[in-house]
Amino acid sequence: MIDIAKSFPGGPSLRFELTFRTTGTTVLFGPSGSGKTTLLRMLAGLDRPDRGRIEFGNTTWFDSGTGVNVPPQKRRVGYVTQESALFPHLNVLENAGFGVPVPDRPTRVPKMLILMGVNDLALRFPHELSGGQKQRVALARAVAARPDVLLLDEPLSALDASAREALRRDLGRFLRAVSLPTVLVTHDRAEALALGDDVVLIADGRV
């Protein structure tokens, strides 16, 4: 549940009141500049609302009235952006295992790579991968760490049309398989309809 507001000097004033589903995928859909990414970043703890409240389950992540502001690393979110942000000096297996307890890596990480269709690339490094392959590894890494919620900020927008269509199809299967509550930002109507269990229209900083 969120009920938050944020303003920018000389810029827009954002006001969001919304309850997310606890299973499946909620898509935040709307034009560029409407506030979708800012909302996602406030959920992740990367941006701080001016006022309001953010709750996840029975946990309060942010409350301006009581001064609560749980830092990003304590919110247990998986966060994937347009750019994969893989570590260039680590191979695929090592990248996907980053953030996973060492004893759990042999079983948990290959499973995620298989689900994303990149298990055969386990020993390659990021510079040897295509854009779509990098995003698949980033998604596997985000979920392998077992977050409580998965946040996806335009994860397909930097890909060419064929890679975007293929990954969109596989991402839908992946999200159903891992069964994590997911919030996905997009301005692409086809992507919103293909991936969203709920679609929330964001325009001019409002739901």
Side-chain angles (χ1 to χ4, degrees):
M1 185 280 294
I2 63 170
D3 184 357
I4 52 178
K6 186 172 182 65
S7 298
F8 296 91
S13 175
L14 310 180
R15 178 73 173 83
F16 299 116
E17 186 175 352
L18 182 63
T19 299
F20 293 102
R21 60 165 51 234
T22 56
T23 60
T25 300
T26 299
V27 170
L28 304 180
F29 173 71
S32 298
S34 59
K36 305 183 304 296
T37 291
T38 299
L39 173 53
L40 204 71
R41 288 178 59 85
M42 289 190 288
L43 284 172
L46 300 173
D47 286 345
R48 181 189 177 102
D50 295 334
R51 61 185 183 279
R53 186 177 178 88
I54 300 175
E55 294 180 352
F56 180 79
N58 297 320
T59 304
T60 298
W61 282 351
F62 177 81
D63 188 336
S64 59
T66 60
V68 172
N69 186 27
V70 177
Q73 65 272 21
K74 296 288 184 66
R75 296 195 186 193
R76 293 190 54 78
V77 302
Y79 195 91
V80 179
T81 64
Q82 298 176 26
E83 303 299 330
S84 58
L86 300 181
F87 298 108
H89 63 292
L90 301 180
N91 64 30
V92 165
L93 188 65
E94 293 164 335
N95 262 290
F98 188 84
V100 179
V102 173
D104 297 332
R105 290 178 187 175
T107 54
R108 196 187 302 175
V109 176
K111 179 181 178 181
M112 291 299 105
L113 294 179
I114 289 170
L115 282 174
M116 282 312 304
V118 288
N119 191 51
D120 58 333
L121 306 176
L123 299 181
R124 292 192 187 180
F125 287 84
H127 72 274
E128 300 175 293
L129 305 177
S130 68
Q133 290 167 340
K134 290 177 182 178
Q135 283 299 80
R136 290 170 185 270
V137 176
L139 288 159
R141 177 177 63 185
V143 176
R146 289 192 175 169
D148 292 328
V149 61
L150 183 62
L151 306 178
L152 307 177
D153 187 6
E154 302 266 15
L156 311 183
S157 65
L159 307 179
D160 61 44
S162 60
R164 184 165 61 246
E165 183 176 351
L167 185 49
R168 181 175 66 204
R169 182 178 60 250
D170 291 345
L171 178 57
R173 288 198 292 262
F174 180 70
L175 293 176
R176 289 190 293 273
V178 299
S179 192
L180 266 177
T182 300
V183 182
L184 183 145
V185 162
T186 184
H187 64 271
D188 184 285
R189 185 183 301 272
E191 191 175 310
L193 295 175
L195 297 174
D197 296 298
D198 289 338
V199 177
V200 178
L201 176 64
I202 304 290
D204 299 323
R206 301 289 189 276
V207 174

